[in-house]
Amino acid sequence: MSEESSVWRAPTVLVTVGTTRFESLIDALGTAAVLRELRYGWQCEALVVQYGTGRAPAFVAAAKALGMRVTAVAYVDDLRALQERADVIISHAGSGSIFEALHLHKPLVVVVNEALADNHQWELAEALAEQGHLLAARCADLLPTLRAVRDTHWVPLSPPVSGVLTEVLRSELWDVVADASVPPR
Amino acid sequence: MHRAVVLWGCWVAVLVAVVVTALRVMLEQRGRRRQHVQRADEWRRRRRQAVETPDRPKDGCSADAQAAHETFSSSTRPVHVVVVLGSGGHTTEMLALLRGDHGLWGLPADAPPVDVSFVYAATDRRTPTWRQRFAEALPPSWRVLGWHAIPRAREVGQNWLSTVFTSVAALLASWRLLLWWWWRSQTPWLGRQRPPACSFPAVIICNGPGTCIPLCAAAWMMRVLRRIGNGGGALCPTTDRPRLVFVETVARVQHLSVSGRCLYGCADRVIVQWAPLARRYPLCEFYGRLV
């Protein structure tokens, strides 16, 4: 569709930071420019924020003034229900939430936490962004990334290879498995 | 004439040996078949019983599977598989890994029953709440043997001096766990001859939480000791247990994790999920993304 960019809207947006804290993402999200982009660029109506162990988002009133409903929760055990309802997911770079979102074929913006000591999360986000599955950003360039979401061509994630673990177990257990028909002494 | 007797004698001896061996094989086969028939009868009886008196299934496995397990484990030693769960993302990924293999259905139907033990970090509060999910991810004939917590070798952000002590504590806990399994795998000395409660772990599967390092180190040391006890020699398939299977997390693209680097030297299988890793480390197997 050629009108896709003009028709594109994301009425429900999910922001998730996983089990730990990621306050810089929540702060970056609360800036006026980002909120305005979400409201008028994406035409977001409902914003669900899962903020982990950090402090609760302070931009609820500001978002409400713009006409966005904000639901803030500290932690949900089953993120999948929220992910299924969302149109776009903004997530931290944990592999669990990245792959859960990608398996649902949702547009995904991953924000890397630079405060972590061992920053291997950037590797995963970058590798997946190179293949076009998601958009990777730092907190500093959240706004330009959000602007780019509309014009991004999303490549669906290929299904994982299955049966490898079974094959490995079979070859590691071959002698035990071969012994199965021999009666015990 | 003398030579003829010796020759004929040889021929007769060979013939007798062949006949005797054939008879023994036939007898063995008959015995084996009889046992299989008995086992099948027993299994049907137990299943009927289980259907009549539906007991609470143990840790999520069906009554049918329970009956099969009890029947076959009395004659065939079950295989014991240990799955190391970490904290946070590692647990989620291991669940996806077990589920993604269609619940490990691919093992042959005549394989012995499988016992699974789960090991997790003692400080992890989320993993124990996922028991039901893990029980559902396993095939119904697999029995969950137990959940064991071992202390973490290092908390996030812990300084390196105190890490030495916590590592030793974690290693001791792993030894204790392995010795417990070994003890349970011995036939009881006193009383009736009954089968051991479990068999010694055959495979340890881990996907890279810090918890797996002390356990795998203890298991590897135990393997070396047993090898020496057996008088050295080549890799013996039945005694070189437990095998260590390490699946690197999908989060690692360019470099192995710390636990991956520790286990790269001593694991039996190292499986990675990204091509750059496989290019960098030649002893890693690469099949593709697994979760």
Side-chain angles (χ1 to χ4, degrees), chain A:
Chain A
M1 283 200 305
S2 57
E3 291 92 359
E4 197 176 13
S5 58
S6 61
V7 171
W8 190 89
R9 52 200 291 274
T12 315
V13 175
L14 170 69
V15 181
T16 166
V17 307
T19 50
T20 51
R21 58 174 60 206
F22 191 3
E23 281 168 358
S24 45
L25 169 60
I26 303 295
D27 291 344
L29 203 72
T31 56
V34 169
L35 285 181
R36 237 178 286 127
E37 168 64 22
L38 286 178
R39 182 68 189 95
Y40 302 119
W42 291 17
Q43 298 179 18
C44 167
E45 284 152 18
L47 187 63
V48 183
V49 183
Q50 183 263 314
Y51 57 90
T53 54
R55 58 171 185 274
F59 55 81
V60 179
K64 191 167 249 177
L66 285 171
M68 269 192 295
R69 200 170 57 253
V70 179
T71 319
V73 285
Y75 177 69
V76 279
D77 192 44
D78 196 16
L79 199 61
R80 204 183 175 88
L82 289 181
Q83 285 174 330
E84 274 168 6
R85 249 179 287 145
D87 296 301
V88 178
I89 299 170
I90 301 174
S91 162
H92 76 302
S95 61
S97 30
I98 288 184
F99 280 104
E100 269 182 34
L102 287 182
H103 284 314
L104 291 173
H105 301 297
K106 302 278 179 178
L108 176 67
V109 178
V110 164
V111 185
V112 180
N113 193 351
E114 289 159 297
L116 288 184
D118 175 18
N119 206 351
H120 65 270
Q121 292 194 329
W122 181 245
E123 279 179 16
L124 176 67
E126 205 171 37
L128 287 169
E130 257 173 36
Q131 296 172 4
H133 301 308
L134 51 82
L135 285 183
R138 294 185 177 85
C139 288
D141 51 72
L142 182 62
L143 186 59
T145 315
L146 293 189
R147 288 206 174 114
V149 165
R150 264 181 290 174
D151 308 320
T152 306
H153 173 66
W154 303 97
V155 180
L157 191 71
S158 57
V161 181
S162 83
V164 169
L165 198 59
T166 308
E167 218 34 62
V168 166
L169 273 186
R170 196 207 293 257
S171 63
E172 288 301 311
L173 294 174
W174 67 270
D175 52 314
V176 191
V177 170
D179 265 0
S181 56
V182 177
R185 284 180 298 261

Side-chain angles (χ1 to χ4, degrees), chain A residues 168-183, chain B residues 39 75-81 107-115 199-203 236-243:
Chain A
V168 166
L169 273 186
R170 196 207 293 257
S171 63
E172 288 301 311
L173 294 174
W174 67 270
D175 52 314
V176 191
V177 170
D179 265 0
S181 56
V182 177
Chain B
R39 252 185 256 170
S75 49
T76 323
R77 298 284 289 270
V79 178
H80 190 176
V81 174
L107 290 175
D110 61 340
V114 179
D115 284 341
S199 46
F200 193 69
V203 175
C236 173
T238 43
T239 55
D240 265 10
R241 300 283 178 195
R243 302 281 169 79

